[in-house]
Amino acid sequence: MIKENIALVKQNMEAACKKAGRNPGEAALIAVSKTKPVDMLREAYEAGCRDFGENKVQEIMDKYEQLPSDIRWHMIGHLQRNKVKYIIDKVFLIHSVDSYRLACEISKEAVKKGITVNILIEVNVAEEESKFGVYKDEVLDLVKNIAVLPGICVKGLMTIAPYVENAEENRQYFVNLRQLSVDIMNKNIDNVSMGILSMGMTGDYMVALEEGATYVRVGTGIFGDRK
């Protein structure tokens, strides 16, 4: 079933990109595998998935050891500063940087390991109190402060839009995030690129793609409902 689900998601992604006049190659799928067992991830891997998104540090560490080394792990959940050191050299991209203190910790551990860590700034576009992420008007200052830290590179923005029945309701948030990324890009800040927009999940990824998403994060649409 997983193989068929992935094929359907990719088909939908292609259709959404074409509708928006985009090249489908500009957008990639992250299979959100949090809470899912390794055998399900293997199935997704065999169906061509190489990008997997996890919410918890412990799960990344456990799965990292058991799965092929060419997997690109994405940390998409809230990251505590005391856990940074465990995954710093295992993840391809940290999507959820929402404070200067967290960025400083990532920078410190990256310098220790002699690596550069790619990050996204998590933006709470809808300003939901239950969600992590910085508000839109705080993003530019945060980006400027993080840009000068060693061992860390800002690659773009991420948002988790509200849970809605009708995906169209989230279009405004995707438009806002894209506009914010353009505004920041136009500032030409050293060590900052805005090439990545991580937005859109199972319920609204097609709308997100129409508005410029470069990564969509799909879990339920691939692995089925979580218990």
Side-chain angles (χ1 to χ4, degrees):
M1 204 55 209
I2 288 173
K3 187 180 178 182
E4 289 81 358
N5 290 348
I6 290 168
L8 179 62
V9 170
K10 289 190 168 170
Q11 209 177 313
N12 289 341
M13 287 175 69
E14 198 168 319
C17 286
K18 282 185 175 158
K19 184 179 171 188
R22 298 180 65 195
N23 173 355
E26 291 171 17
L29 171 64
I30 297 174
V32 177
S33 47
K34 61 182 185 183
T35 76
K36 296 298 178 186
V38 166
D39 56 345
M40 287 181 93
L41 276 75
R42 276 208 189 93
E43 217 176 308
Y45 179 89
E46 278 155 23
C49 275
R50 291 297 177 270
D51 292 276
F52 288 85
E54 291 286 342
N55 266 36
K56 293 197 161 61
V57 166
Q58 189 60 51
E59 269 198 80
I60 290 178
M61 289 164 66
D62 293 346
K63 291 171 178 176
Y64 184 88
E65 299 301 330
Q66 300 178 65
L67 287 156
S69 60
D70 63 335
I71 284 177
R72 294 179 291 262
W73 294 99
H74 296 257
M75 178 63 190
I76 59 176
H78 181 62
L79 179 57
Q80 293 166 299
R81 295 198 310 281
N82 63 344
K83 301 272 179 73
V84 167
K85 58 180 176 281
Y86 300 116
I87 56 156
I88 195 82
D89 53 352
K90 293 180 173 64
V91 292
F92 176 71
L93 184 63
I94 299 174
H95 291 235
S96 48
V97 175
D98 59 358
S99 73
Y100 181 66
R101 289 173 74 194
L102 174 58
C104 287
E105 190 63 32
I106 293 168
S107 168
K108 185 182 91 180
E109 294 297 334
V111 169
K112 269 191 207 169
K113 288 261 194 336
I115 56 176
T116 298
V117 177
N118 293 324
I119 67 156
L120 306 180
I121 305 299
E122 181 173 357
V123 187
N124 186 347
V125 189
E127 300 193 354
E128 292 181 278
E129 285 185 11
S130 60
K131 294 241 174 89
F132 292 106
V134 289
Y135 287 177
K136 243 173 62 176
D137 57 3
E138 305 166 324
V139 176
L140 181 58
D141 283 344
L142 181 60
V143 167
K144 284 177 177 170
N145 289 332
I146 292 174
V148 297
L149 296 171
I152 194 167
C153 194
V154 180
K155 291 289 187 182
L157 306 175
M158 177 268 232
T159 197
I160 298 172
Y163 177 76
V164 290
E165 293 294 328
N166 176 9
E168 279 299 326
E169 290 173 32
N170 280 339
R171 189 179 293 274
Q172 56 179 324
Y173 302 122
F174 301 142
V175 169
N176 287 346
L177 194 74
R178 184 178 184 191
Q179 188 54 54
L180 181 61
S181 80
V182 170
D183 293 346
I184 292 171
M185 190 173 64
N186 289 339
K187 304 274 188 225
N188 292 318
I189 305 163
D190 283 348
N191 199 28
V192 172
S193 70
M194 283 285 134
I196 297 177
L197 273 182
S198 169
M199 58 188 195
M201 302 197 294
T202 296
D204 56 17
Y205 68 88
M206 292 180 75
V207 173
L209 286 163
E210 287 170 23
E211 297 305 337
T214 62
Y215 274 126
V216 291
R217 309 178 305 269
V218 179
T220 307
I222 291 174
F223 298 107
D225 288 331
R226 286 188 180 77
K227 293 194 172 53

